[in-house]
Amino acid sequence: FCLENTDPRMRGRGIQLLSQVLLQCYSLLQEKEVLHLVLFYESRLQDHHLVIPSVLQGLRALSMCKVLSPGLAVSVLKAIFQEVHVQSLMQLDRHTVYSIITNFMSTREEELKGLGADFTFGFIQVMDGEKDPRNLLVAFQIVRDLIAKDYALGPFVEELFEVTSCYFPVDFTPPPNDPHGIQREDLILSLRAVLASTPQFAEFLLPLLIEKLDSELQSAKLDSLQTLTACCAIYGQKELQEFLPSLWSSLRREVFQTASEKIETECLAALHALSACLSRSVLSSDSEDLLDSFLSSILQDCRHHLCEPDMKLVWPSAKLLQAAAGASLRTYHRITRSVLPLLLEQYTKHTQSSQRRTILEMLLGFLELQKKWGHVEEDESTLLSLQAPVCSVVFSALTDPSVQLQLVGIKALTLLGSLQGFLSSSDMELVVDHLIRLTLHEKDSQSSEAAMEAAGSLAPTYPKVFSGRMVPRLEEELQSGRAGKGESYHNHCSSQQRCLQALAAVSTHTSIVRETVPVLLQHLQKVQKGTEARNTQDMVSVCQSLHRVALQCQQDVEACWYFHQTVVPCLLAMAVQAAMQGNTHMLPGKALLEEEVLCAMIPVISAATTHLSPELAAQSVSHVVPLFLDGEVSFLPQNSFPCSFQPFGDGECLEAQRRLVALLMAFVCSLPRDVAIPQQEWLLRELLALSCSCNCPFTATTAAKCFAGLVNKHPAGQQLDEILQLAVNRMEPGLAEGPHRMQALTLLLWVRLALDEWGRGARGPSLAPTALPAQVTKALVLRYHPLSSCLTDKLLGLLGDTELGPAAADGFSLLMAESPDVLHKGCHADVRIMFRQRFFTDNVPKLVQGFHGAGPDVKANYLKGLSHVLNHLPKTVLVTELPTLLSLLLEALSCSDHVVQHSTLSCLHPLLLEAPQIMSLHVDTLVTKFLNLTSSPTMAVRIAALRCAHALTSLPTTVLLPYKGRVIRALAKPLDDKKRLVRKEAVAARGEWSVCGSSS
């Protein structure tokens, strides 16, 4: 009834219902049914315009049928092209037409190609005048398919270009809260893919690009340059020939005149693409060599600027020449043949260091291009013919008084050394001599450090030269002893420091490592036997150099194993020797047992162990663990010690030996997870006892860390559960009422001192009784062990203890922060993803609940613990929880503990930037708190408060304006702060508030 109704609205409803049914069941239709329906819908295209949208929906359903008879796709499209004025339809209906065409192109390609150019012409009529970005993305894709799948364009190439190029350059700003998410960049890239899809568009497109390049609109210039670069990938000499002079003129003008770095970059990319395009073109015997004439134009317009006295256009010209030269080996030879001799001549001609530096930097740019093409060919390379003058220029730069010229010279030297076949053996010896001189005797540290880095870069290519020339010279300098006549002690120490750094820097090849490591170890042994006041710092410096060598060896199996089996036993032997010399601090070698030196040795041993293969690691662990458990010293060099080594024994006389547990920690906690540790249960029990009973905070903490590292990697099962239960049983007496309370109080003094030190920037608290639960809890938190929640609850309970509460609060920072030595992935620790989020979800509600129920004397502990957790939480998670926690964070700002204040401010700062709407609701409180804290006695708090005051300006202007005058007046005081860093933050914050709400 509806389909035959005389009212077009009723007919439309009937067809709409039929079309909706077909969209649900088109895959079930028979071939004859599809034929019948197609004929029906084609006839309906001639019906009233109110019916057309429903007809198109039905045709879209039928276009997806697999049983569509041959010829029907062509029939449908012809009917649409003839009967429907597509651009008069609504957006959704136009989109339906594009969908029908897309469906047929993907399933009936050969049939549509049978239409020839008529199909292209029909689509042009459909697309002409389209404005909706949703439809344009589909239409552009159809055009790309027309060209890519080789549909016949016939005489309609220009029409197809016009119907798409009318949108160039794209001018589209998406409406706010656009649900479709179409961005201007989407349309730009889609249109560019069309315009750069065929050389047939070249004669129409290139004049358009030149026109837009000459416009004043920056976005049009950028779009044109990027489109030109894309086109060069498919164009040839034929397409570009007519337009090359105009294109070069526009590109040259933009580079010479533009103030936009983006436009300059795109111009250079386009010139590079043009040169590459011409380089690819195959020349016939009678055709003109366009590349040669194009490069001649570039040289003619740029070369003379390199000789101008004022050097005004030197860099723009050099950049243009380098962009063209980098396109192909042919362009490189053509341009360098003309430019390199000129640059060398200009370097000699100019005498000022600044001018010479500019010229050498340009020369360096061309040298880097040579590296791109690999081996230097003798018959073609201009560079090889200029070897002597190039080396002369570079070597002269290295001896120039100007540090900046030296730095460029070192870069050039490194590059020349990397060019295979360029430098002779005698040249390399001279190179090494220059690097030695710069490393050891150049006053400026920049040049010295750059020379070391250059040596490290070149050493793998020329290991024999560096091993035979540089290493002996550095060794000789290092062994020279005391400061020479006329040399101050400070300068002598600086020279020794440079030698150590250079020995490490040059150790980038296995053969060199075999030379440098013994030198470093020999120097460490020499320093250990000395009695000078600087022994500690000298030892730390040697360890830092060894650490760098260890890191450089990690990717080479041979070098890694050599370093490990040479360095680790030697360090252990020296430490054991020092620990056995008694308690007299005046004895030589005691500096090796100082915390600073042991902390420097830890990363050396760790880095030497982490990359060992399981087989080699197992071989090493079979020696090291028995050393600490059984005193087995036979594998150590020089193993004749005056007494037995018993680091886990009782007695005050063994205190020095117990400190070496730090080195055991560095070794066993860096082993791969699948390496079995001999006597592991015994080792765990000894570490547990030491961490609970030792009076030395450093030893107790390292024992706890070692225990935690082993527990973290321990396989799950009964053995792990037993050792953990033993840990809990040993730990509780030290924390509860009873005979161990006084010991806990004594150790609490160390925590108070450590907290004071932490407030001044030291590492953080160390407390023997609480170190164990924190470290063990972290080991279990990282791997989601079931006992972790029980141990975390014990830590939460300690927050209410007036004595241990502050240390327990700092324990939350330990749980959440990245562990620098044992519990991180680099040491093969079991670290599960999102453990911080899990910890937050499980424990923050308990912290909040505990805060509300705590007495006034311990509330600060809960706030400190909460701020530590929030500070280490991913900001995306924190923003979602902000509404429930913000009131507590604001209360934390009123806490008298400066650690709590600083931690809370650090937590609030990113939230002001990422959640301005939520923070705006509390602006009055925030302004008051931040301004009060700008007068804090602690510098770190003042700086953090000023940064937060600065971040407040990211809130909506209407919210801030009532506070503008008050804030500006209050920020005048920190402008006169005695600390420069505070004044700097005050200037930035006050300046931002001053322009708040202004039109500028």
Side-chain angles (χ1 to χ4, degrees):
F1 169 77
C2 288
L3 296 178
E4 296 177 346
N5 199 292
T6 56
D7 183 357
R9 288 181 175 81
M10 287 300 293
R11 289 201 304 280
R13 290 178 62 187
I15 296 174
Q16 181 183 21
L17 175 60
L18 178 60
S19 297
Q20 289 173 344
V21 171
L22 290 176
L23 284 168
Q24 297 297 322
C25 67
Y26 64 85
S27 60
L28 306 176
L29 296 175
Q30 304 286 333
E31 184 176 350
K32 290 183 178 180
E33 293 170 336
V34 173
L35 173 62
H36 187 74
L37 288 165
V38 167
L39 295 175
F40 167 74
Y41 273 105
E42 282 184 6
S43 67
R44 290 304 91 200
L45 287 174
Q46 300 173 9
D47 204 334
H48 195 277
H49 68 87
L50 294 175
V51 177
I52 300 301
S54 299
V55 175
L56 292 173
Q57 287 294 339
L59 289 172
R60 182 168 73 88
L62 295 171
S63 71
M64 294 184 283
C65 290
K66 294 182 178 179
V67 294
L68 197 68
S69 301
L72 286 184
V74 171
S75 176
V76 170
L77 290 181
K78 280 186 175 180
I80 291 174
F81 293 160
Q82 292 171 7
E83 304 297 342
V84 183
H85 185 251
V86 176
Q87 289 306 316
S88 65
L89 300 175
M90 299 292 288
Q91 179 272 327
L92 180 60
D93 302 324
R94 301 198 304 276
H95 194 277
T96 302
V97 174
Y98 295 127
S99 298
I100 294 170
I101 296 173
T102 301
N103 291 339
F104 283 145
M105 288 181 73
S106 62
T107 60
R108 297 291 189 271
E109 181 179 331
E110 294 305 319
E111 291 181 36
L112 300 190
K113 285 182 177 179
L115 279 172
D118 290 343
F119 176 61
T120 302
F121 180 68
F123 173 73
I124 291 171
Q125 288 181 306
V126 168
M127 182 182 173
D128 193 13
E130 182 60 67
K131 294 181 180 178
D132 190 277
R134 292 165 289 182
N135 292 346
L136 283 173
L137 287 177
V138 183
F140 290 155
Q141 182 61 53
I142 293 173
V143 178
R144 292 206 298 277
D145 289 341
L146 280 173
I147 295 168
K149 295 180 179 180
D150 203 23
Y151 282 78
L153 304 185
F156 305 113
V157 174
E158 185 173 2
E159 285 77 4
L160 186 61
F161 172 78
E162 292 294 339
V163 82
T164 51
S165 64
C166 62
Y167 302 101
F168 184 86
V170 172
D171 183 17
F172 169 68
T173 303
N177 303 319
D178 179 20
H180 307 290
I182 297 175
Q183 300 297 316
R184 178 172 176 268
E185 191 66 19
D186 299 327
L187 291 167
I188 288 174
L189 295 176
S190 187
L191 177 57
R192 184 177 301 151
V194 171
L195 298 178
S197 62
T198 173
Q200 296 181 73
F201 285 164
E203 61 178 306
F204 315 113
L205 177 60
L206 291 176
L208 176 63
L209 296 181
I210 293 169
E211 176 190 337
K212 300 301 179 183
L213 269 175
D214 295 340
S215 70
E216 296 299 321
L217 194 62
Q218 297 286 304
S219 60
K221 290 184 178 183
L222 280 173
D223 206 352
S224 299
L225 290 165
Q226 290 166 351
T227 304
L228 175 60
T229 302
C231 289
C232 287
I234 62 164
Y235 285 4
Q237 182 169 297
K238 173 186 172 184
E239 287 77 25
L240 293 172
Q241 183 170 6
E242 180 184 348
F243 305 100
L244 279 176
S246 298
L247 287 170
W248 164 240
S249 176
S250 298
L251 294 174
R252 182 191 63 218
R253 182 192 66 245
E254 290 301 326
V255 172
F256 281 170
Q257 297 179 6
T258 188
S260 168
E261 187 176 340
K262 282 185 178 180
I263 289 180
E264 180 189 90
T265 301
E266 294 301 335
C267 281
L268 297 175
L271 180 59
H272 180 279
L274 282 170
S275 303
C277 178
L278 295 174
S279 299
R280 290 193 303 268
S281 298
V282 179
L283 297 177
S284 59
S285 58
D286 57 345
S287 62
E288 180 188 356
D289 187 355
L290 275 184
L291 176 63
D292 190 67
S293 58
F294 184 60
L295 296 179
S296 296
S297 299
I298 296 173
L299 286 166
Q300 181 180 347
D301 292 339
C302 295
R303 192 176 183 275
H304 65 278
H305 289 305
L306 303 180
C307 307
E308 292 176 352
D310 58 0
M311 305 184 79
K312 183 179 179 182
L313 292 175
V314 160
W315 267 120
S317 300
K319 288 178 180 179
L320 287 167
L321 290 166
Q322 288 168 5
S328 68
L329 188 57
R330 186 180 167 203
T331 60
Y332 177 78
H333 287 318
R334 175 73 174 84
I335 288 178
T336 54
R337 192 163 56 241
S338 174
V339 172
L340 288 188
L342 181 64
L343 290 176
L344 294 171
E345 177 188 330
Q346 291 299 307
Y347 184 92
T348 307
K349 183 178 178 181
H350 289 283
T351 56
Q352 293 184 12
S353 295
S354 60
Q355 294 174 324
R356 285 190 159 191
R357 186 189 70 180
T358 300
I359 295 168
L360 187 56
E361 284 176 336
M362 290 188 288
L363 182 64
L364 180 61
F366 286 103
L367 294 177
E368 288 171 343
L369 294 176
Q370 172 67 58
K371 189 177 179 181
K372 178 180 178 181
W373 306 116
H375 184 66
V376 180
E377 297 291 343
E378 293 186 21
D379 55 340
E380 291 186 52
S381 176
T382 305
L383 185 58
L384 205 58
S385 65
L386 297 172
Q387 181 183 17
V390 167
C391 289
S392 175
V393 162
V394 173
F395 291 154
S396 73
L398 299 178
T399 57
D400 194 275
S402 168
V403 173
Q404 297 304 315
L405 181 54
Q406 285 180 12
L407 293 175
V408 181
I410 292 170
K411 286 183 182 178
L413 191 68
T414 307
L415 192 59
L416 291 178
S418 67
L419 296 177
Q420 186 181 356
F422 185 80
L423 294 177
S424 64
S425 56
S426 58
D427 289 331
M428 272 311 303
E429 291 178 358
L430 189 56
V431 166
V432 172
D433 289 343
H434 276 294
L435 292 177
I436 293 172
R437 177 184 57 79
L438 289 168
T439 297
L440 298 179
H441 305 300
E442 178 56 46
K443 293 181 180 179
D444 189 271
S445 60
Q446 281 183 285
S447 296
S448 176
E449 291 168 6
M452 294 180 200
E453 295 301 320
S457 298
L458 294 174
T461 310
Y462 308 95
K464 290 184 178 179
V465 181
F466 281 92
S467 178
R469 202 171 186 89
M470 189 169 191
V471 175
R473 179 68 185 278
L474 293 172
E475 181 180 7
E476 179 186 346
E477 189 77 20
L478 195 61
Q479 294 177 347
S480 60
R482 296 184 175 274
K485 186 177 181 181
E487 183 184 17
S488 70
Y489 181 76
H490 173 77
N491 289 338
H492 175 70
C493 292
S494 175
S495 176
Q496 296 257 309
Q497 181 79 3
R498 285 190 178 187
C499 285
L500 294 171
Q501 292 172 348
L503 284 167
V506 79
S507 302
T508 50
H509 189 274
T510 305
S511 64
I512 302 177
V513 171
R514 291 179 179 274
E515 300 287 338
T516 57
V517 166
V519 174
L520 290 169
L521 292 176
Q522 183 181 356
H523 184 69
L524 183 62
Q525 291 167 341
K526 176 183 175 183
V527 173
Q528 181 193 18
K529 295 173 183 177
T531 57
E532 296 178 2
R534 280 187 52 85
N535 276 7
T536 298
Q537 186 54 48
D538 289 343
M539 287 181 176
V540 170
S541 297
V542 178
C543 289
Q544 288 171 344
S545 293
L546 286 170
H547 181 227
R548 177 170 179 176
V549 177
L551 293 175
Q552 291 166 176
C553 289
Q554 285 180 341
Q555 304 308 316
D556 186 293
V557 176
E558 181 186 352
C560 185
W561 178 235
Y562 168 78
F563 184 91
H564 180 88
Q565 66 178 352
T566 303
V567 174
V568 173
C570 183
L571 293 182
L572 290 173
M574 292 172 64
V576 171
Q577 182 71 45
M580 290 183 178
Q581 288 178 349
N583 293 325
T584 306
H585 288 278
M586 295 303 293
L587 286 174
K590 296 300 292 184
L592 193 68
L593 301 179
E594 292 189 17
E595 182 176 339
E596 189 178 357
V597 178
L598 289 173
C599 286
M601 294 171 71
I602 287 172
V604 178
I605 296 175
S606 178
T609 306
T610 53
H611 283 64
L612 289 180
S613 66
E615 297 77 19
L616 294 177
Q619 182 179 334
S620 186
V621 76
S622 66
H623 296 301
V624 175
V625 172
L627 167 68
F628 282 85
L629 289 179
D630 305 320
E632 178 55 59
V633 298
S634 59
F635 81 102
L636 298 178
Q638 301 174 355
N639 53 22
S640 57
F641 300 113
C643 60
S644 60
F645 182 57
Q646 300 174 351
F648 294 115
D650 296 327
E652 291 186 13
C653 62
L654 298 176
E655 183 60 43
Q657 294 186 21
R658 285 195 281 268
R659 295 176 71 82
L660 302 193
V661 171
L663 305 184
L664 173 67
M665 175 199 74
F667 175 76
V668 296
C669 293
S670 301
L671 292 168
R673 223 179 298 175
D674 54 353
V675 173
I677 297 176
Q679 307 177 82
Q680 185 171 9
E681 306 309 317
W682 179 17
L683 178 60
L684 283 168
R685 291 172 185 273
E686 294 289 4
L687 290 168
L688 181 59
L690 185 61
S691 62
C692 290
S693 61
C694 183
N695 292 326
C696 171
F698 173 74
T699 303
T701 301
T702 53
K705 284 183 178 181
C706 190
F707 180 85
L710 292 174
V711 163
N712 177 262
K713 297 177 186 176
H714 198 293
Q718 183 179 355
Q719 285 185 330
L720 178 61
D721 294 339
E722 288 176 357
I723 198 68
L724 289 174
Q725 189 58 52
L726 180 63
V728 173
N729 295 341
R730 292 292 300 268
M731 172 186 68
E732 286 179 341
L735 303 174
E737 296 284 342
H740 298 283
R741 193 67 176 169
M742 185 58 68
Q743 181 187 18
L745 178 61
T746 303
L747 293 167
L748 179 62
L749 297 175
W750 284 97
V751 175
R752 290 298 186 191
L753 175 61
L755 284 174
D756 291 339
E757 289 296 322
W758 185 85
R760 294 195 292 269
R763 276 194 290 275
S766 297
L767 182 65
T770 55
L772 176 64
Q775 293 287 355
V776 174
T777 303
K778 174 155 185 140
L780 300 178
V781 164
L782 291 178
R783 61 180 287 182
Y784 299 161
H785 190 278
L787 191 58
S788 62
S789 59
C790 173
L791 292 178
T792 306
D793 287 341
K794 289 184 181 295
L795 196 61
L796 284 164
L798 288 174
L799 293 174
D801 191 297
T802 53
E803 293 178 315
L804 300 182
D810 284 316
F812 284 91
S813 176
L814 174 68
L815 293 177
M816 297 293 287
E818 289 288 344
S819 178
D821 39 22
V822 292
L823 293 173
H824 63 91
K825 288 187 176 180
C827 290
H828 313 287
D830 187 0
V831 181
R832 304 297 174 89
I833 61 172
M834 300 180 70
F835 78 90
R836 292 182 181 85
Q837 290 90 319
R838 180 185 176 115
F839 187 86
F840 171 85
T841 304
D842 292 345
N843 297 295
V844 165
K846 298 176 185 177
L847 277 169
V848 175
Q849 182 181 0
F851 169 79
H852 290 303
D857 54 338
V858 294
K859 276 185 178 290
N861 298 335
Y862 290 90
L863 291 175
K864 185 187 292 187
L866 178 65
S867 63
H868 282 317
V869 173
L870 298 182
N871 255 319
H872 293 95
L873 197 67
K875 296 300 176 276
T876 51
V877 179
L878 188 54
V879 167
T880 60
E881 301 292 336
L882 182 58
T884 57
L885 295 173
L886 188 55
S887 59
L888 205 58
L889 288 172
L890 294 176
E891 190 168 346
L893 292 178
S894 302
C895 178
S896 59
D897 190 325
H898 66 270
V899 177
V900 177
Q901 292 172 349
H902 183 268
S903 184
T904 307
L905 288 168
S906 300
C907 182
L908 286 171
H909 182 266
L911 297 176
L912 290 165
L913 304 174
E914 297 176 27
Q917 298 303 323
I918 299 174
M919 303 300 278
S920 297
L921 303 175
H922 302 268
V923 65
D924 188 72
T925 306
L926 290 169
V927 168
T928 302
K929 300 279 189 186
F930 294 161
L931 294 182
N932 288 341
L933 290 174
T934 59
S935 302
S936 168
T938 306
M939 184 183 76
V941 173
R942 297 200 300 275
I943 290 174
L946 287 166
R947 286 176 178 166
C948 286
H950 189 173
L952 278 173
T953 57
S954 63
L955 304 186
T957 304
T958 52
V959 174
L960 299 177
L961 286 177
Y963 304 93
K964 180 176 178 180
R966 173 187 168 191
V967 172
I968 292 175
R969 288 192 299 272
L971 292 180
K973 180 181 178 182
L975 291 176
D976 295 325
D977 196 279
K978 60 183 179 180
K979 296 292 185 180
R980 181 184 62 82
L981 294 176
V982 177
R983 297 196 300 271
K984 178 183 175 183
E985 295 294 341
V987 168
R990 197 167 188 262
E992 200 66 39
W993 272 93
S994 298
V995 299
C996 178
S998 64
S999 57
S1000 62

